[in-house]
Amino acid sequence: MLRILSICCLFIISFANSSQEVGESLEKPLNLWYDEPAEDSNKGWVNSSIPMGNGYMGINLFGGTKTERIQITENSLYDAVGAKGLRRTGLNNFAEVYIDFDHNKASKYKRGLNLNEGLSYVNYENNGVNYSREYFTSYPDKVMAIRLSASKAGALSFTLRPTIPFLNKDKSGVVLANHDTITLSGVMKHYNIEFEGQFKVIPQGGEIKTNNNQSQGSISVSNADSAIILIAVGTNYQFDSQVFLTEDDSKKLEGFEHPHNKVSRYITDASEKSYEQLLANHQTDYSEIFNRVSLDLGATLPKITTDELVDAYPSGKSSRYLEELAFQFGRYMLICSSRAGTLPPHLQGIWNVYDKPPWASQYLHDTNVQMAYAPVFSANLPELFDSYVNYFKAYMPKQKLYANQYIKEFNPSQLDANGDNGWSGPFWTNPYNVPGKSKVAGFGTGGWIAQMFWDYYDFTRDEQLLAETVYPIMYEQANFTSRFVQDIDGALLAKPSSSPEQKIRNTIGTTFDQQMFYENHHNTLTAAEVLGRSDSRLAIYEHQLPLLEPIQIGKSGHIKEFRQEEFYGDFSDIYDPHHRHASMVLGLYPGQLVNDKTPAWLDAAKVSLNLRTRVSNIGWARAERIAMLARIHDGEEAYAYYKDFLEGNLMHNLFNDHRGDPLFQADGNYGATAGVAEMLLQSQDHVVSPLVAVPSAWASGSYRGLLARGNFEVSAQWSNKQLNHLDVVSKAGGLLALRYPNITKAVIKTADGNKVDFIAKGTDELSIKSIKGQTYIVSHIPTFTPVSAPSNLKLKQDEHSTNVSLSWSASEDAKTYNVYRAIGNAPHYELVAAGIKDKEFNYKASDLKQAKQVTLKVTAVRSDGRESYAGTTAVWLLP
């Protein structure tokens, strides 16, 4: 029996001031709060219910006073999806739970979610009695716990009524009460999913009574002082390749144990602990993860409710707090929805109220899964990726069979007859099925999945993880793509090939496929070098790498999406040049291919994003652009997209309204968090670069605990857009490279005050041989003023020679100008001329007779010798 400690006074969580009893305190309370319950409807569910979760279940709380509604999601409770002759359904609502209080005269009402502690609450007064509810979902104990309290002894009475929604010929079940426990159990027919939930009621004082009426059990408690309700759920689903390899849907779970023993164990184990022990277990687990990162943009705590805060944001009221809150809310959602041993977050994370959810609550691998995990590394949540690792290992054997099929179909000369053809990437999947190829996305989805695994290593530098999990996955993906690509005019190209969700399909060598193939080949070779591997196909990957041609520069100076493009927007009658997917720049973000060390490609990515134009209303696409624009150092435009997201896509409970329907998709929330992290810290070229894209609106602020590649934990404080203080914790040792203007002139010491030796690269970059566990403190950084770039570069070409005249608009900071060129698809610029004092230049290039196009760039150089980061570019098309 769970031991209840006596309650001497009412336990109330304040929405404006909370303490952190376990773990390190965050600098500022982070709360969602409301002065009325959520509307008891599906509209209320999507817009104003409070989401919670622990990986094992997703919870939505409504906070009613007459009746509390608690909606429960379990991510494996799935119905058929799009099978022949079957309706399209997908994830199903697990349970609707009601607690009847019949409090009809509630006043002084507050409900909320405390992000710092992972706790939700409801407080109000009814007939002179103060009532309080506290909720948390515990990952360590695998239960939801609810504490109900009253300020007056014997004043708590309620009835608990769990129900099974959407019962029909395909879903059957009963709800039975016995003593202090209600058991909800049933079967989803199509996959023969056996499901069970248990609800244990433990009152202090009062009387308890059970009722079973037509298989609808309930428990009533009367005249109690307080009560605890424990909830555990489960199904007979297991992470096992049998699920995906078995063709007969009704036998996918054959032989798997009924969930009764598992769920009973969860409830029994939890009930043997006091409520305080359960709460401490939850907060120790939750706070250790959530409190790693803080963000302070100078916001003050708002005095208005969260729904009012969201509605007021377009007018600028309390905007900083919402900007901080939305960033942390994405981290909170990932903690709720992605835990080791549980299914990963789907399109709606771990929350679903429907029997026919949007897109069946599936996993789409042409951006949505990747968006779900976009902040998992940069926002310092790396272990949460284990959820996807387990899922991937279960479905990967099926993808190996598909790989055999595709090589045989598309490039049979490369088929290994023994089945050693690697694994191919899926487009959509769910907990029970990974169908074959889709024309909607290209085969590059496999490389994109493998890239997430590479990031897992690259941000943690766990060599055991690399050797046992990451490297084999990348190696076998490269095995497939190395056999799949075909030699076409001297390049190794995907055939067939598609760019995600564009109308042109089954073409050749889309940038999406080629970039993903290239990234994985490169990462595999890097991993092999780290591990000292000499596997048989590594030489093939090394030979193929330069032939994969991941970047093609178009005549508009952009990165092409399709090889047959010349100018941006060619073939706009059969593809959308303003599509929500910006697949041609995935090598920029989330990839590593395009970075500060490939400046010509970085400029081409900038052109592509400018030509793609602003996404109108799609939440995840707006979120993705935040990060992409941050990667090209455009903090103002990145911030504009963040504001667009907060203004146009946040509902009152901070759920992402996918496109204004309202239609919830969790990927926008996750992606916005990742985008803000990219504005504050980048490391894609393995150089730790703080404040790369901080907008003027965030002129002062601080953050703590963001993660950079190499497993460097970074904290920063800045004012007037100048970095004042930087702390870097080396969690794995290794070379620490830092980039920031004038950083080589700063004071750099260890945490114990010792001076640090470093190697300087100019004035803005340095490297340190870091020691594992050591903290490196950078201070007294000389201020800098960015050099304004020239603009409006124009070319006047001599049609009969390789001569071209350049002219441009002046930079107000320039003493002189430099001119650079990048020939064809080259990633780097070559210096053509320096020290130009005029705003024009005549370029004669006798060595370009074989070139078809050249990107020319002009930068400004100030009197102190500092060059503008950006420049003005134009494409020279040679005769």
Side-chain angles (χ1 to χ4, degrees):
M1 177 66 68
L2 185 146
R3 304 184 304 276
I4 305 295
L5 301 182
S6 61
I7 301 175
C8 299
C9 59
L10 177 65
F11 182 87
I12 299 177
I13 300 175
S14 167
F15 67 90
N17 189 13
S18 61
S19 63
Q20 184 71 49
E21 296 180 359
V22 181
E24 184 181 356
S25 294
L26 285 177
E27 286 79 351
K28 186 179 300 178
L30 295 163
N31 298 284
L32 286 69
W33 72 279
Y34 310 87
D35 58 9
E36 61 183 8
E39 178 184 331
D40 187 10
S41 66
N42 284 349
K43 180 180 177 181
W45 180 91
V46 75
N47 184 59
S48 54
S49 68
I50 289 178
M52 304 190 77
N54 62 359
Y56 294 96
M57 67 181 91
I59 300 293
N60 290 82
L61 302 172
F62 288 73
T65 58
K66 180 177 174 58
T67 297
E68 168 67 289
R69 176 185 173 191
I70 303 172
Q71 187 270 322
I72 301 177
T73 304
E74 202 285 342
N75 271 354
S76 67
L77 192 68
Y78 229 80
D79 204 352
V81 178
K84 187 176 180 180
L86 296 171
R87 60 193 180 126
R88 185 181 181 90
T89 53
L91 187 62
N92 202 274
N93 184 341
F94 185 91
E96 293 282 359
V97 182
Y98 302 97
I99 309 176
D100 298 323
F101 296 101
D102 293 328
H103 293 160
N104 298 313
K105 298 179 180 180
S107 61
K108 300 179 182 178
Y109 179 92
K110 290 173 185 172
R111 68 182 174 100
L113 168 65
N114 181 323
L115 293 184
N116 305 74
E117 301 183 354
L119 294 172
S120 289
Y121 61 89
V122 174
N123 301 316
Y124 59 91
E125 184 178 296
N126 190 79
N127 288 332
V129 179
N130 293 319
Y131 291 94
S132 175
R133 305 178 211 153
E134 180 178 282
Y135 316 77
F136 62 89
T137 46
S138 170
Y139 174 67
D141 288 302
K142 304 177 180 63
V143 297
M144 179 183 191
I146 306 169
R147 176 161 66 177
L148 310 175
S149 305
S151 62
K152 181 180 178 181
L156 179 65
S157 299
F158 63 90
T159 297
L160 175 66
R161 298 185 290 113
T163 67
I164 305 174
F166 305 121
L167 289 172
N168 54 43
K169 63 182 181 62
D170 299 313
K171 183 183 182 183
S172 60
V174 296
V175 181
L176 298 175
N178 181 25
H179 186 46
D180 62 358
T181 301
I182 301 173
T183 300
L184 173 156
S185 61
V187 177
M188 288 283 289
K189 183 178 178 181
H190 185 78
Y191 291 114
N192 281 325
I193 306 169
E194 298 167 324
F195 62 91
E196 180 165 310
Q198 292 186 28
F199 307 79
K200 189 177 185 68
V201 181
I202 308 167
Q204 183 180 30
E207 297 181 353
I208 187 169
K209 183 172 67 175
T210 62
N211 179 55
N212 288 294
N213 183 17
Q214 295 181 343
S215 298
Q216 181 56 61
S218 64
I219 290 178
S220 296
V221 173
S222 57
N223 305 319
D225 300 330
S226 64
I228 306 299
I229 301 174
L230 299 178
I231 301 173
V233 303
T235 74
N236 59 331
Y237 183 85
Q238 293 183 21
F239 286 116
D240 193 306
S241 60
Q242 168 189 314
V243 176
F244 300 98
L245 294 172
T246 302
E247 297 296 331
D248 186 338
D249 287 352
S250 66
K251 295 182 179 179
K252 286 179 176 289
L253 303 183
E254 194 170 78
F256 294 169
E257 184 181 3
H258 190 281
H260 174 74
N261 290 337
K262 174 175 64 177
V263 175
S264 297
R265 185 171 65 252
Y266 298 162
I267 287 289
T268 299
D269 290 348
S271 66
E272 290 175 351
K273 300 171 185 175
S274 71
Y275 179 83
E276 286 72 16
Q277 285 176 309
L278 293 173
L279 179 60
N281 289 348
H282 160 66
Q283 290 190 318
T284 298
D285 167 73
Y286 174 85
S287 298
E288 195 284 321
I289 301 172
F290 184 81
N291 285 1
R292 292 172 191 167
V293 173
S294 67
L295 172 63
D296 187 351
L297 300 173
T300 57
L301 294 176
K303 296 181 180 180
I304 56 177
T305 60
T306 302
D307 52 324
E308 293 173 317
L309 184 70
V310 171
D311 291 342
Y313 182 79
S315 65
K317 295 179 181 178
S318 301
S319 58
R320 294 294 171 269
Y321 188 80
L322 187 62
E323 289 165 4
E324 296 173 4
L325 189 66
F327 167 77
Q328 291 286 22
F329 187 71
R331 297 181 69 247
Y332 165 80
M333 288 177 63
L334 200 55
I335 296 170
C336 290
S337 59
S338 184
R339 303 303 298 265
T342 73
L343 281 161
H346 50 74
L347 277 168
Q348 287 76 38
I350 194 173
W351 300 279
N352 169 57
V353 72
Y354 310 104
D355 67 334
K356 297 180 181 179
W359 296 283
S361 291
Q362 298 188 98
Y363 306 107
L364 304 186
H365 287 84
D366 66 341
T367 198
N368 307 97
V369 169
Q370 291 86 347
M371 289 289 286
Y373 285 110
V376 74
F377 305 117
S378 59
N380 208 347
L381 307 162
E383 68 268 49
L384 301 188
F385 188 63
D386 284 338
S387 174
Y388 188 83
V389 173
N390 294 331
Y391 174 65
F392 174 85
K393 288 180 178 179
Y395 79 69
M396 195 254 285
K398 180 72 170 182
Q399 293 304 128
K400 286 188 171 184
L401 297 180
Y402 285 133
N404 297 339
Q405 173 187 328
Y406 301 151
I407 300 302
K408 183 177 181 180
E409 179 179 358
F410 297 118
N411 205 8
S413 66
Q414 295 300 310
L415 180 70
D416 182 275
N418 296 318
D420 182 19
N421 296 295
W423 61 273
S424 70
F427 167 45
W428 69 262
T429 69
N430 61 47
Y432 297 88
N433 194 17
V434 282
K437 68 179 184 292
S438 170
K439 297 178 182 178
V440 175
F443 284 91
T445 57
W448 201 351
I449 292 166
Q451 185 179 65
M452 293 193 294
F453 281 87
W454 167 252
D455 287 347
Y456 196 6
Y457 162 73
D458 209 15
F459 278 86
T460 64
R461 294 300 169 94
D462 182 337
E463 287 198 18
Q464 183 177 353
L465 175 72
L466 180 67
E468 296 178 1
T469 299
V470 174
Y471 176 74
I473 288 170
M474 295 193 307
Y475 182 88
E476 289 303 326
Q477 168 57 202
N479 184 11
F480 168 73
T481 57
S482 67
R483 299 174 188 276
F484 177 74
V485 292
Q486 299 182 38
D487 187 337
I488 300 174
D489 297 328
L492 292 175
L493 305 179
K495 180 183 178 183
S497 183
S498 299
S499 194
E501 303 189 32
Q502 283 280 17
K503 290 180 283 186
I504 299 178
R505 294 173 184 172
N506 286 341
T507 183
I508 297 173
T510 64
T511 298
F512 170 71
D513 285 338
Q514 298 302 131
Q515 286 187 2
M516 295 300 101
F517 292 175
Y518 185 97
E519 292 262 20
N520 186 62
H521 266 48
H522 177 270
N523 294 339
T524 303
L525 291 167
T526 303
E529 185 175 356
V530 170
L531 296 172
R533 299 292 293 259
S534 58
D535 300 277
S536 61
R537 295 191 67 81
L538 290 173
I540 296 173
Y541 306 159
E542 188 169 7
H543 169 75
Q544 288 184 337
L545 187 66
L547 303 176
L548 292 173
E549 294 193 356
I551 301 288
Q552 296 280 297
I553 306 299
K555 293 180 179 179
S556 300
H558 67 295
I559 296 177
K560 296 181 180 182
E561 185 167 3
F562 301 94
R563 290 181 73 85
Q564 57 266 47
E565 285 183 67
E566 292 191 9
F567 293 93
Y568 189 88
D570 284 351
F571 314 109
S572 59
D573 56 331
I574 55 173
Y575 94 100
D576 182 2
H578 306 299
H579 199 272
R580 60 193 177 277
H581 287 260
S583 302
M584 67 286 187
V585 291
L586 292 176
L588 169 74
Y589 177 85
Q592 298 174 257
L593 178 66
V594 180
N595 57 59
D596 283 340
K597 295 176 181 176
T598 61
W601 286 355
L602 199 65
D603 285 339
K606 185 182 303 183
V607 173
S608 295
L609 288 171
N610 289 338
L611 292 172
R612 204 64 161 191
T613 69
R614 180 160 295 176
V615 180
S616 59
N617 63 348
I618 304 297
W620 71 258
R622 280 175 166 166
E624 185 180 53
R625 299 291 174 87
I626 299 167
M628 289 176 168
L629 289 160
R631 286 278 177 99
I632 62 171
H633 300 222
D634 192 343
E636 301 304 326
E637 191 66 6
Y639 179 60
Y641 267 92
Y642 190 43
K643 289 181 65 178
D644 284 349
F645 177 78
L646 299 184
E647 290 179 9
N649 296 97
L650 279 196
M651 290 184 272
H652 287 160
N653 60 359
L654 303 195
F655 270 172
N656 163 46
D657 184 354
H658 171 57
R659 61 187 183 199
D661 297 26
L663 179 67
F664 167 51
Q665 255 187 229
D667 47 14
N669 294 105
Y670 304 129
T673 296
V676 171
E678 290 294 328
M679 295 169 71
L680 301 172
L681 179 70
Q682 295 179 21
S683 59
Q684 58 273 16
D685 61 352
H686 296 102
V687 180
V688 176
S689 304
L691 309 185
V692 173
V694 173
S696 298
W698 298 348
S700 298
S702 65
Y703 63 79
R704 172 176 52 79
L706 293 179
L707 202 61
R709 292 178 183 275
N711 203 358
F712 295 107
E713 196 171 84
V714 182
S715 303
Q717 185 274 325
W718 69 96
S719 59
N720 299 317
K721 294 194 70 175
Q722 300 284 326
L723 181 64
N724 300 325
H725 194 92
L726 186 72
D727 285 6
V728 182
V729 181
S730 178
K731 300 178 72 175
L735 187 69
L736 167 60
L738 294 172
R739 182 190 298 126
Y740 188 79
N742 292 330
I743 197 168
T744 62
K745 300 176 182 179
V747 175
I748 305 177
K749 296 182 177 181
T750 61
D752 52 10
N754 292 325
K755 184 179 178 181
V756 175
D757 294 326
F758 59 82
I759 298 173
K761 184 179 180 181
T763 60
D764 300 345
E765 189 172 328
L766 59 84
S767 59
I768 299 167
K769 292 182 179 179
S770 77
I771 299 172
K772 183 178 180 179
Q774 184 64 269
T775 298
Y776 298 88
I777 300 172
V778 183
S779 63
H780 299 86
I781 308 164
T783 59
F784 79 99
T785 302
V787 180
S788 64
S791 59
N792 197 30
L793 176 60
K794 293 183 179 180
L795 307 180
K796 185 177 180 181
Q797 183 174 338
D798 183 340
E799 296 181 359
H800 303 292
S801 68
T802 53
N803 295 344
V804 65
S805 297
L806 291 72
S807 62
W808 55 88
S809 298
S811 159
E812 61 185 15
D813 297 328
K815 180 180 180 182
T816 61
Y817 297 94
N818 291 342
V819 176
Y820 298 88
R821 74 178 186 184
I823 302 172
N825 301 319
H828 306 104
Y829 288 109
E830 307 167 55
L831 181 64
V832 170
I836 301 169
K837 296 183 178 180
D838 298 322
K839 295 177 291 182
E840 56 186 28
F841 177 71
N842 187 36
Y843 179 34
K844 299 179 180 180
S846 59
D847 62 336
L848 291 177
K849 294 181 180 179
Q850 303 302 315
K852 295 181 179 180
Q853 69 180 56
V854 176
T855 300
L856 294 171
K857 179 176 183 177
V858 179
T859 62
V861 180
R862 198 165 51 199
S863 58
D864 61 1
R866 182 171 290 279
E867 189 174 9
S868 62
Y869 169 77
T872 178
T873 62
V875 175
W876 178 19
L877 303 177
L878 280 77

